[in-house]
Amino acid sequence: MLMAGGCYRRHWSSRDIRLDTLCPQRTSLIPYTVCAESQVIKRIEPKLLYRTETQARGDSAMAGVSWEIKGTEFGNCNCDYGCPCQFMGRPSSVNGDCRYAMFTQIDEGQYADVRLDGLRFVWMGGWPGAVHEGNGVLQLIIDDGADDEQRKAIRRIVYNEDTDELLTNYSIYCAMCTTIHEPIVAPIELDFDIEARTAHGEVPGIVVCDMEPVRNPVTGKAHRAQIVLPEGFGSTMLETASGSVKSTGTVPLEFSDTFASFSKLHMTDHGIVR
């Protein structure tokens, strides 16, 4: 059985967020307004990029909790192989938009005293242009094997409720979204081999992703390429592949033979561990 709630919308103009906040030498982030549906809740302090309706009402009991996760992430977007976004370029998709689905396996993890070992989650996003231009939508799907406390912990990590500003891919993507949906709880199927560059990820009835090596167009042999990102905000190295994905619901996706990658995760509330 799937469990899904409503969504929260955040409204802002591109003038409200300075692009230099995405750089290491950034200055302060300018606050913006958060809404639940059409009702304005409150003004956000610069350090917090996202708050749920409950948190905005004053429930900050869990704020400032430390967390750490180690594991593997794989998925693909609608850019050509190589993904110009990794090199500060614009999306190379047919429509110039940016859309993706990412599957995460937590090998070891904790949120305060809540253990997250062995849990999974999927997050899908879509933007009408480059991510830094904003106006995106984000959907989180949490492993139905997680109990209530574990679900709450994963939600808070991915939806950037206990992370230093702009130091993880979660915090940056949330900052660039105007619509963040309540998580869905569902079974998540994962099977992957980084060395072989193959993977299958599926949430039955919602999203399915398959990955394989990029092939030499002449010989058909598997081609291997890695992207090294010493200052990456999600990981420091991507093992690239070719992927296809199809999803329905809040973030519809359908593309094939596009950029895909695997990465090893080691992340805390203060950013990635290098």
Side-chain angles (χ1 to χ4, degrees):
M1 181 179 69
L2 305 184
M3 294 183 291
C7 66
Y8 300 107
R9 288 187 172 83
R10 184 163 53 197
H11 302 287
W12 54 280
S13 161
S14 59
R15 295 187 299 273
D16 294 332
I17 294 183
R18 297 177 50 162
L19 294 182
D20 62 358
T21 61
L22 298 179
C23 300
Q25 295 80 18
R26 64 183 181 273
T27 55
S28 62
L29 177 69
I30 299 174
Y32 46 79
T33 305
V34 172
C35 303
E37 297 300 332
S38 61
Q39 181 181 2
V40 174
I41 296 175
K42 67 179 299 181
R43 192 75 167 171
I44 288 295
E45 292 301 320
K47 191 171 182 179
L48 294 178
L49 300 178
Y50 174 75
R51 287 186 178 182
T52 63
E53 183 178 14
T54 301
Q55 192 176 6
R57 287 172 179 161
D59 179 14
S60 58
M62 299 181 72
V65 173
S66 63
W67 58 266
E68 181 177 13
I69 56 174
K70 298 179 183 178
T72 301
E73 183 172 75
F74 69 84
N76 78 298
C77 69
N78 58 341
C79 278
D80 294 331
Y81 298 150
C83 183
C85 308
Q86 307 300 329
F87 304 93
M88 301 300 173
R90 296 194 62 80
S92 57
S93 61
V94 174
N95 298 319
D97 57 348
C98 180
R99 307 184 74 78
Y100 72 86
M102 298 298 293
F103 294 75
T104 304
Q105 170 73 51
I106 302 174
D107 296 327
E108 300 176 54
Q110 66 179 59
Y111 175 91
D113 59 353
V114 178
R115 297 300 306 180
L116 304 175
D117 305 359
L119 296 177
R120 301 166 172 178
F121 62 87
V122 181
W123 49 308
M124 303 183 294
W127 288 263
V131 172
H132 70 268
E133 293 173 335
N135 298 313
V137 57
L138 190 65
Q139 175 70 69
L140 170 65
I141 304 172
I142 300 175
D143 190 347
D144 68 347
D147 63 28
D148 288 344
E149 288 303 308
Q150 291 170 326
R151 293 173 190 174
K152 186 183 299 183
I154 292 173
R155 170 195 170 120
R156 293 185 68 86
I157 289 171
V158 178
Y159 283 175
N160 189 47
E161 299 180 27
D162 294 296
T163 306
D164 290 347
E165 72 173 54
L166 301 178
L167 291 183
T168 67
N169 46 4
Y170 308 133
S171 63
I172 290 173
Y173 292 147
C174 282
M176 296 296 105
C177 284
T178 49
T179 302
I180 298 179
H181 291 274
E182 279 289 337
I184 295 170
V185 178
I188 299 174
E189 303 171 6
L190 296 185
D191 182 22
F192 58 89
D193 184 333
I194 296 179
E195 186 65 24
R197 282 99 72 208
T198 59
H200 174 79
E202 184 171 0
V203 181
I206 300 178
V207 59
V208 60
C209 173
D210 288 289
M211 292 166 50
E212 63 178 10
V214 173
R215 300 282 174 182
N216 183 302
V218 177
T219 66
K221 285 187 174 182
H223 175 72
R224 189 167 192 175
Q226 299 174 339
I227 300 175
V228 178
L229 302 165
E231 297 180 354
F233 49 75
S235 67
T236 56
M237 196 274 285
L238 302 178
E239 184 77 51
T240 69
S242 173
S244 64
V245 67
K246 185 173 183 178
S247 73
T248 59
T250 58
V251 185
L253 308 170
E254 186 168 7
F255 38 87
S256 60
D257 302 322
T258 56
F259 177 75
S261 67
F262 299 86
S263 61
K264 300 299 290 186
L265 300 180
H266 188 187
M267 195 176 294
T268 76
D269 50 300
H270 300 304
I272 71 170
V273 178
R274 304 181 191 278

